[in-house]
Amino acid sequence: MDLVKAARSGQEAAFLQLFDEHHRPLFRFAFRLTGSVADAEDIVQECFLQLLRPECAYDPRRTPVRTYLFGVVRNQSLKRLRRIDSADEASRNANPNRSPEDEAARAEMQDAVARAVMQLPDTQRDVLILAHYEHLPLAEIARIMALELGAVKSRLQRARATLQQTLAAYVSSLERKK
Amino acid sequence: MNDTELDDLLDSWTVPPPPPSLRESVHAGFAAGRERTRGRGPRTRKRRFAAAILCAAALLLVIAQARPSAPVRLPYIVDSEFVRYANDGSSSIDMYTKSYELNGAEILKSRSIPGAPFETMLGRSLDMSLPIWSRLMARLTVDAPTLERVRQAAHRSVGAITGCAASCLVLEHYGFARAPAGTERDAACLDGAIVDHETILNYPTIGVRPRMGGSIRMTWWVSPELGCFALRISTEEKQPDGTWRLVHEKRALRVNLNP
């Protein structure tokens, strides 16, 4: 019996195994989209519990569970992002764990990268995070986002081109400060 | 900045590990869900069972009076899925169907709603009872000449199941006029603009966009080899900026010949 089926039939060990296998990349993805540990925690929790609900439309014969879970995290994160007003957004995207003084430069760089990624259009940002940080195959990203493979490739290229411009400007401004 | 430098910069964005409380809260949610299911199980199951028995009894009564008895030999059955697309681009599957075409109408053989066995059963009961009920009501409320005109009009149209509504309990149908016989569009089955030619599951299809008007646009990929069965139907909604967004799609998954 596969893990999802066993978990849905009430087997706790199967559910926890499913959680242990998938929660880390899902948490990273949710955190990168929302910029908040608390939100990422809520989203990942909801994502696993949703899988057990009778109304859940997930069909293991058609979609691998990882693809489905990433899709749920993405949808939940987008819903939350829409609720956040733009004034609050900048502060949420900053690193919540501020570094001590000797790591200030690194923290600043990290924040700059996070901000640059978050400023990308939604689909470009999600494709970039799934491809670069989660190393998912492009075909799987296409399924998660309900896009054609060609559209995923072009969005990834555009995202990287935009980031190269944005971050190059940031790096040169740092060098000028020095 | 080259690709390697960009990758290095991107890698500087690290993520804190998931808090240990995450596993605990998910575990607690799992246990609470299981308790809830146990707590309401027998009573809910009894109610559902009683409702199902009532539905089945009512259906048997109606079917015995009104279902045509002549068996139909099926040349093929098409398995289809119905996909709904949300505003954010995510998709979900509303239902799966098995159906075939007869005299220009798509006849449903069975269907299922993923992850919802009770709704599936209720939906199937409604699929059987609603057409029979509407036929009975039509006989009682509409005069014979009008009924005959409706029948004739049905023979000059092509109909299909295009989706479902009310938590997928009720099927949605659309029907469009047939293309005039002997014209260039005759092979396309439907009267409308031909917008595409595509081979779906090894069957050549013609993409036809019937005239609808308003803010909804449908495209039917019909297969002349399968008696005008639509192997794909897309439904698009007009956006405020004038573009069209795909909101729903019916897609054939398999054609079973001589089932």
Side-chain angles (χ1 to χ4, degrees), chain A residues 89 93 112-122 125 162-163 166:
Chain A
E89 203 166 353
N93 290 333
V113 171
R115 271 196 300 276
V117 173
M118 293 306 288
Q119 280 167 5
L120 291 170
D122 285 3
R125 176 198 63 208
T162 308
L163 287 174
T166 316

Side-chain angles (χ1 to χ4, degrees), chain A residues 10 20 32 41 54 62 132-133, chain B residues 10-11 13 21 81 96 115:
Chain A
D20 290 339
R32 286 199 163 100
E41 191 176 356
R62 297 193 52 78
H132 181 83
Y133 292 105
Chain B
L10 289 175
D11 289 341
W13 184 18
S21 59
E81 66 179 3
Y96 298 105

Side-chain angles (χ1 to χ4, degrees), chain A residues 7 10-12 15-16 19-20 23-24 27-28 31-32 37 41 44-45 48-49 52 54-57 59 62 74-75 78 82 97 106 109-110 113-114 117 132-133 145-146 160 163-164 167-168 171, chain B residues 1-4 6-27 29-31 34 36 40 81 85 87-93 96 114-117 251 253:
Chain A
Q11 291 182 31
E12 188 176 291
F15 179 71
L16 291 176
F19 174 83
D20 290 339
H23 80 280
R24 282 185 189 82
F27 178 83
R28 286 196 301 265
F31 175 82
R32 286 199 163 100
V37 171
E41 191 176 356
V44 172
Q45 179 182 351
F48 278 99
L49 296 180
L52 302 176
E55 67 271 18
C56 171
D59 181 353
R62 297 193 52 78
R74 177 171 182 263
N75 291 340
L78 287 174
R82 283 194 201 106
N97 302 318
R106 181 180 156 72
M109 175 69 77
Q110 187 164 324
V113 171
V117 173
H132 181 83
Y133 292 105
M145 302 187 57
R160 290 184 63 90
L163 287 174
Q164 273 169 336
L167 293 173
V171 170
Chain B
M1 179 181 288
N2 62 32
D3 280 346
T4 313
L6 175 63
D7 287 340
D8 290 344
L9 265 180
L10 289 175
D11 289 341
S12 72
W13 184 18
T14 55
V15 170
S21 59
L22 175 59
R23 194 174 199 273
E24 289 159 21
S25 52
V26 168
H27 190 186
F30 174 79
R34 204 167 49 177
R36 269 198 305 277
R40 72 180 178 204
E81 66 179 3
Y85 296 93
N87 284 331
D88 62 13
S90 62
S91 61
S92 59
I93 294 176
Y96 298 105
R251 294 192 294 226
L253 301 170

